[in-house]
Amino acid sequence: MFTKDRERMTALEAKSRAQTLAFAPFAFQATVALRDLGILAAIGRAGPAGLDRRAIAAETGVSEYGVSVLLDFGADLGLVARTQDRFALDDVGYFVLHDEMTTVNMDFTRDVCYHALGALTESIRNGQPEGLSALGEWPTIYEGLTHLPEPALSSWYRFDHFYSDRAYDELLPLVFDGPVRHVLDIGGNTGRWSLKCLQHDPDVTVTIVDLPAQLDAARRNIEEAGFGGRVDYYAADLLDPTRQLPGGTDVLWMSQFLDCFSEAEVTSILNRAAHAMDARARLYIVELFPDRQVFDAARFSLDATSLYFTCVANGTSRMYHSDRFRELVNAAGLTIERTIDNVGEGHTLLCCARA
């Protein structure tokens, strides 16, 4: 894993790292196969004593040949430990098998991004999500999000919800630390944050802003939960710079939303948010900034996720680093009053007012 202040490698170490990169797709697919064929689970159930190839083949229904080639590489990857002819679960394999974050990230990579990433070079050249055609024929993923084929649809939503949901319970008391009558949920998607607000405060009302297909999904979820009478729906394509946002709200909310847009689009959306705010209104922005992460692995994962935006989502957006993002906020006529880091899975909350 890359570190913030790593020491200079020797030539041999650098060449070895280069081979790891050259065969990285093999490592990913072998890991997925060991997991999905039940090989890691069978070895894990055996405990420290482990199993030999024949026993693993018998338990999983995979041929001894298949078990053999996967486990030889799995031992190189730290997924399994080999002692003579037996294999036990190693540290990396434990997290592949049992860690929810690893599962969510791996499924998102396999089901949404893997084939699309073959078009990364062309996406960079053209400024278009050239890999999106692996999933469907839409200008950006957002028009087709509710129509993604399975398992991509389920994996996309699990990825999105895994990171947002863990922050919401911590964020609610921060947003509702004063009187809040009306929340404008911009980019509300399936309505999960709006539902949290409605459940948290019996008097608050919500307006959700999103594309029509996303609003349909949000409406279904909110009505099924019994809160339909306190929610309005505002259909808007915010890529249209003439499309204004409704005013008169106490809280404007954007969670994992602005990373879906280019710098110029971010500034335009924030500028329209500023125009919709009065002096008492506050805009809360929730983002994952790679440069504000505590752990190197988190930063690494977020910088990798930027490439999803490049070749799958829209070709122009990314996971922003915080210094540049602050410049965009200020350029839109807003000022950041509070910054709270390490919420949920490494989120940052920015509380903004009109400048």
Side-chain angles (χ1 to χ4, degrees):
M1 185 58 62
F2 299 99
T3 58
K4 296 177 182 177
D5 299 307
R6 59 183 181 273
E7 295 181 2
R8 185 74 180 264
M9 294 181 185
T10 66
L12 181 59
E13 289 169 337
K15 187 172 183 178
S16 295
R17 176 67 64 83
Q19 307 324 302
T20 300
L21 295 174
F23 286 98
F26 292 77
F28 177 81
Q29 294 291 10
T31 301
V32 170
L34 283 162
R35 184 195 68 174
D36 291 355
L37 291 170
I39 295 173
L40 290 180
I43 294 171
R45 286 192 295 270
L51 295 172
D52 62 23
R53 292 181 176 89
R54 181 173 298 179
I56 296 167
E59 186 166 341
T60 61
V62 179
S63 69
E64 285 192 50
Y65 165 79
V67 168
S68 177
V69 294
L70 287 172
L71 287 178
D72 285 348
F73 198 26
D76 293 331
L77 298 173
L79 297 168
V80 294
R82 176 168 39 202
T83 303
Q84 295 179 342
D85 64 341
R86 301 179 76 83
F87 293 86
L89 198 64
D90 210 344
D91 294 342
V92 179
Y94 175 87
F95 284 98
V96 168
L97 194 58
H98 297 294
D99 178 55
E100 185 182 4
M101 178 188 291
T102 302
T103 298
V104 166
N105 289 344
M106 190 166 286
D107 289 349
F108 176 75
T109 297
R110 178 193 61 188
D111 300 332
V112 178
C113 303
Y114 194 87
H115 294 293
L117 282 166
L120 178 59
T121 300
E122 290 306 307
S123 298
I124 294 288
R125 284 183 177 141
N126 300 334
Q128 298 291 329
E130 301 292 356
L132 179 57
S133 60
L135 298 171
E137 297 298 329
W138 307 287
T140 73
I141 200 170
Y142 307 110
E143 288 89 345
L145 186 57
T146 58
H147 305 290
L148 288 176
E150 289 291 2
L153 178 63
S154 295
S155 293
W156 192 96
Y157 276 114
R158 280 197 300 269
F159 181 80
D160 181 70
H161 294 162
F162 176 85
Y163 289 99
S164 62
D165 289 2
R166 280 155 178 74
Y168 285 168
D169 288 339
E170 295 181 48
L171 290 165
L172 278 168
L174 300 175
V175 173
F176 284 85
D177 63 351
V180 177
R181 298 167 299 173
H182 192 173
V183 174
L184 186 66
D185 185 358
I186 304 168
N189 208 332
T190 59
R192 292 170 84 89
W193 168 254
S194 292
L195 270 173
K196 287 284 188 180
C197 293
L198 295 164
Q199 292 162 350
H200 179 80
D201 187 331
D203 297 318
V204 75
T205 59
V206 176
T207 298
I208 303 177
V209 180
D210 215 322
L211 295 169
Q214 275 74 15
L215 290 181
D216 288 341
R219 183 182 285 107
R220 286 194 300 271
N221 292 333
I222 287 170
E223 289 181 355
E224 286 175 6
F227 293 101
R230 292 160 57 196
V231 181
D232 291 320
Y233 303 91
Y234 186 85
D237 180 0
L238 292 180
L239 288 174
D240 178 357
T242 67
R243 189 66 161 154
Q244 298 301 313
L245 291 166
T249 58
D250 306 295
V251 166
L252 293 81
W253 175 262
M254 300 179 184
S255 176
Q256 295 180 195
F257 174 68
L258 292 172
D259 50 45
C260 300
F261 300 96
S262 69
E263 290 191 0
E265 291 161 351
V266 169
T267 304
S268 172
I269 292 167
L270 289 176
N271 183 264
R272 281 174 275 160
H275 280 290
M277 297 167 63
D278 59 25
R280 62 182 176 78
R282 292 297 179 267
L283 166 63
Y284 291 91
I285 300 171
V286 181
E287 286 292 342
L288 288 153
F289 297 119
D291 59 312
R292 299 188 78 87
Q293 299 303 307
V294 175
F295 300 107
D296 290 339
R299 187 184 72 254
F300 177 84
S301 299
L302 291 173
D303 284 334
T305 302
S306 284
L307 303 183
Y308 149 77
F309 289 105
T310 302
C311 69
V312 182
N314 60 11
T316 57
S317 61
R318 59 168 300 157
M319 304 305 295
Y320 288 96
H321 285 230
S322 62
D323 53 353
R324 179 57 183 152
F325 194 85
R326 287 173 175 275
E327 293 174 358
L328 300 178
V329 172
N330 293 333
L334 294 161
T335 184
I336 299 173
E337 293 183 328
R338 284 192 295 161
T339 300
I340 302 174
D341 288 322
N342 302 318
V343 180
E345 297 290 338
H347 292 76
T348 295
L349 175 69
L350 303 177
C351 177
C352 306
R354 289 186 62 170

